[in-house]
């Protein structure tokens, strides 16, 4: 899981006792050597799925970290790409990366819940960050994303199918979330990171309420589960017009 260049157990413990922002500031220099960085295999699959829907003009990587999603956007956006994150440490690592000359890339420090942009993007992507938001924050977050998209723009992110109840993966995630709840009950500042709170059904309803029409694209590179459902899907949510916001959500 962790390479020798990754953080030590002690470093991870200190990070986990910090706020999310401070924790990532501390982790930043070693972040790309941890399993928390989205793997290239998933980034490549997302880029392949998005390519036929583009090209897009301007793209935003929400909670960009060291820029994993910026690499995807650079492949499907023609004009400019922006990475936004609230960790100054993660952005410092991102800025030090060597990127191709086009499209132009910029990095902005901001909270995803208060994005400092108007409706200037055609595509917003996000990888590996939704566990940092409580379920009650999702409607507001999706509303902010909608507000930075041009009409008809897309919001895309992968969702991995949850592990089968009773499997090793199921107990691992359950144990992680339980430990995090105990940590957050006992320690301030909180470190919000839950694996089991971002559920496809809830996400679909929150997107619909925020004024999106969401489609699911199976990522064939990851195969299917024994019941035939895809292991990994790309949610592609298209920004609907203002009228969609006044209609009651479907379902
Ligand atoms: C697990 S990392 C993922 C980074 C990158 N997207 C990737 O896939 O490798 C989560 C990132 O979300 C950022 N983050 C968490 N909550 C945020 C918020 N409210 N606003 C902006 N960034 C946030 C963290 O600073 C961190 O860089």
């Amino acid at each position: 899981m962790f390479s020798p260049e990754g953080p030590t157990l002690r470093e991870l413990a200190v990070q986990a006792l910090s706020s999310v922002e401070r924790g990532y500031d501390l982790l930043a220099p070693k972040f790309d050597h941890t399993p928390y960085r989205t793997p290239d295999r998933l980034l490549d699959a997302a880029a392949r799925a998005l390519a036929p829907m583009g090209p897009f003009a301007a793209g935003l990587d929400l909670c960009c970290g060291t820029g994993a999603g910026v690499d995807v956007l650079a492949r499907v956006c023609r004009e400019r790409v922006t990475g936004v994150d609230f960790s100054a440490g993660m952005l410092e690592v991102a800025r030090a990366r060597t990127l191709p000359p086009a499209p132009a890339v910029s990095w902005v420090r901001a909270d995803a819940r208060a994005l400092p942009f108007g409706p200037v993007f055609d595509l917003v992507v996000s990888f590996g960050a939704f566990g940092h938001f409580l379920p009650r924050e999702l409607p507001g977050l999706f509303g902010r994303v909608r507000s930075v998209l041009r009409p008809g723009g897309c919001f895309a992110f992968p969702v991995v199918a949850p592990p089968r109840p009773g499997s090793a993966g199921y107990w691992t995630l359950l144990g992680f979330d339980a430990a995090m709840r105990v940590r957050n009950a006992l320690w301030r500042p909180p470190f919000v990171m839950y694996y089991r709170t971002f559920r496809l059904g809830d996400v679909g309803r929150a997107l619909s309420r925020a004024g999106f029409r969401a489609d699911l694209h199976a990522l064939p590179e990851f195969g299917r589960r024994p019941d035939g459902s895809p292991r990994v899907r790309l949610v592609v949510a298209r920004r609907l017009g203002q009228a969609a916001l006044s209609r009651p959500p479907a379902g």
Side-chain angles (χ1 to χ4, degrees), residues 26-157:
L26 294 169
L27 185 59
K30 297 185 173 180
F31 179 77
D32 285 347
H33 303 288
T34 71
Y36 309 129
R37 185 193 187 273
T38 299
D40 288 343
R41 185 170 169 235
L42 181 50
L43 301 172
D44 290 344
R48 270 194 293 272
L50 287 168
M53 299 171 214
F56 303 89
L60 177 71
D61 181 10
L62 188 76
C63 302
C64 63
T66 55
V70 163
D71 294 340
V72 172
L73 292 174
R75 286 186 252 174
V76 298
C77 295
R78 275 181 318 206
E79 287 174 15
R80 62 197 169 81
V81 169
T82 304
V84 66
D85 200 286
F86 68 5
S87 161
M90 295 292 268
L91 290 174
E92 199 181 313
V93 176
R95 282 194 184 99
R97 298 180 52 202
T98 311
L99 290 164
V105 174
S106 55
W107 307 98
V108 174
R109 183 169 177 226
D111 193 312
R113 294 162 292 196
L115 293 172
F117 310 109
V120 295
F121 297 103
D122 306 284
L123 174 64
V124 176
V125 297
S126 194
F127 293 90
F130 291 119
H132 294 305
F133 299 91
L134 296 170
R136 66 168 182 270
E137 293 178 302
L138 285 187
L141 179 69
F142 292 167
R144 292 308 304 165
V145 172
R146 184 181 187 279
S147 75
V148 303
L149 278 169
R150 292 193 176 115
C154 287
F155 178 28
F157 51 88

